[in-house]
Amino acid sequence: MSDFNLSVFSAAIADVAAAAAPVTASFTTHHHRTASAFHWRDGYFVTAEEAVEAGEEIELTLASGETVKAELVGRDPSTGVALLKPAGAVSAAPLAQADAVRPGNLAITIGSSQGSALAVSGSVGEVGPAWRSMRGGTIDRRINLAVNAGGRFEGGPVLDAKGALIGMLLFGPRGRALVMPYETIERAVETLREKGHVARGYLGAGLHPIRDGAARGAMVMSLDDNGPAKAAGLALGDIIVAWNGEAVHGPRELIRKLGPDSAGAAVRLGVVRGGEQRDVAVTIGEKPLS
């Protein structure tokens, strides 16, 4: 009886993977490796932002084996989402949104490689609250996976046991598999469709980590001539130690605060200059498109 139940379980996972295969595609990245993408809705595909380069020609291999050119509509480094628009119509129905997941829930990661379907199963390892990415993006939920998925799965969909979409597979520090949640992708896609990019905060200062006695922060090493930092009166050698009263211990923390929601914000920076601390009012700009 146990063998029969295992067989049924095994077939059910394979059925979920097979049902999702038609929405997946693959492409060769600028690093000459294969990454996955999947149909979001309205003919648009999403994939991992780090797998695509601005201005490059992208060729998607659909599940049918057909190859189509795709336009990079936009990319959002703060959430790791890139939006693609293939030439021609896409008939695959979009994946439904999954319900909330819990640690231990089954997670099925789907990928594609030159028209061949890929699938691995594992579990949700961790579910946590909203968090901020290294590039300042607000991620709606922390979802880490206990799943052994290789690089070809990056940018592919992660499904629950019903075949509904939890989110997109990305790889974090040390190659840890994590999910960019459905809600975060939806927000990024909406902005990318409308504007082609997601605004990021811009200070206009080159920064270096510093520890000066008790002061730890980000030292200003260069200033953009037309940047917000110079306009606010920041000077070379200033050490930024706080953002609206919250301690900043280095450039990485400061960059994390320069997320999409910071553009246009009035911010009070705590600055150490000549051993004395002062506040400098800065209006954060919008990072120019490179």
Side-chain angles (χ1 to χ4, degrees), residues 169-181:
L169 179 75
L170 297 177
F171 292 107
R174 296 178 296 281
R176 186 180 70 240
L178 57 89
V179 177
M180 190 52 54

Side-chain angles (χ1 to χ4, degrees), residues 132-156:
R132 193 174 281 274
S133 74
M134 293 296 294
R135 294 188 176 180
T138 299
I139 317 302
D140 292 77
R141 290 175 292 157
R142 182 181 295 280
I143 306 174
N144 292 340
L145 296 180
V147 63
N148 185 21
R152 293 185 298 171
F153 287 88
E154 186 174 29

Side-chain angles (χ1 to χ4, degrees), residues 227-243:
K230 188 167 186 177
L234 282 173
L236 298 181
D238 283 352
I239 303 170
I240 301 172
V241 295
W243 172 292

Side-chain angles (χ1 to χ4, degrees), residues 66-91:
E66 178 189 1
T67 301
V68 296
K69 297 259 194 276
E71 171 199 357
L72 175 59
V73 177
R75 49 192 295 192
D76 176 17
S78 73
T79 60
V81 175
L83 187 63
L84 308 176
K85 185 74 166 79
V90 175
S91 57

Side-chain angles (χ1 to χ4, degrees), residues 11-22 24 108-110 117-120 159 163:
I13 292 175
D15 287 346
V16 167
T24 62
I108 304 164
T109 302
I110 308 296
L118 308 174
V120 293
L159 311 177

Side-chain angles (χ1 to χ4, degrees), residues 109-288:
T109 302
I110 308 296
S112 182
S113 181
Q114 306 306 311
S116 295
L118 308 174
V120 293
S121 61
S123 65
V124 175
E126 177 186 3
V127 178
W131 57 286
R132 193 174 281 274
S133 74
M134 293 296 294
R135 294 188 176 180
T138 299
I139 317 302
D140 292 77
R141 290 175 292 157
R142 182 181 295 280
I143 306 174
N144 292 340
L145 296 180
V147 63
N148 185 21
R152 293 185 298 171
F153 287 88
E154 186 174 29
V158 180
L159 311 177
D160 67 6
K162 297 176 182 176
L165 181 65
I166 301 170
M168 178 173 66
L169 179 75
L170 297 177
F171 292 107
R174 296 178 296 281
R176 186 180 70 240
L178 57 89
V179 177
M180 190 52 54
Y182 186 104
E183 310 93 299
T184 309
I185 299 171
E186 189 167 51
R187 196 170 60 249
V189 166
E190 187 175 336
T191 304
L192 291 173
R193 284 183 65 170
E194 182 185 342
K195 298 182 178 178
H197 73 284
V198 172
R200 288 193 61 218
Y202 166 63
L203 188 58
L207 305 168
H208 187 77
I210 192 73
R211 172 173 262 166
D212 182 17
R216 289 179 61 196
M219 178 177 277
V220 177
M221 305 296 288
S222 63
L223 288 164
D224 296 351
D225 285 341
N226 299 312
K230 188 167 186 177
L234 282 173
L236 298 181
D238 283 352
I239 303 170
I240 301 172
V241 295
W243 172 292
N244 283 340
E246 186 179 337
V248 169
H249 297 115
R252 185 174 291 182
E253 287 186 20
L254 196 58
I255 290 167
R256 190 174 289 172
K257 291 182 178 298
L258 289 168
D261 53 357
S262 72
V267 172
R268 179 170 47 86
L269 295 180
V271 172
V272 174
R273 179 183 296 172
E276 295 183 1
Q277 185 161 340
R278 65 185 69 193
D279 286 341
V280 176
V282 180
T283 300
I284 302 301
E286 183 174 318
K287 190 173 180 63

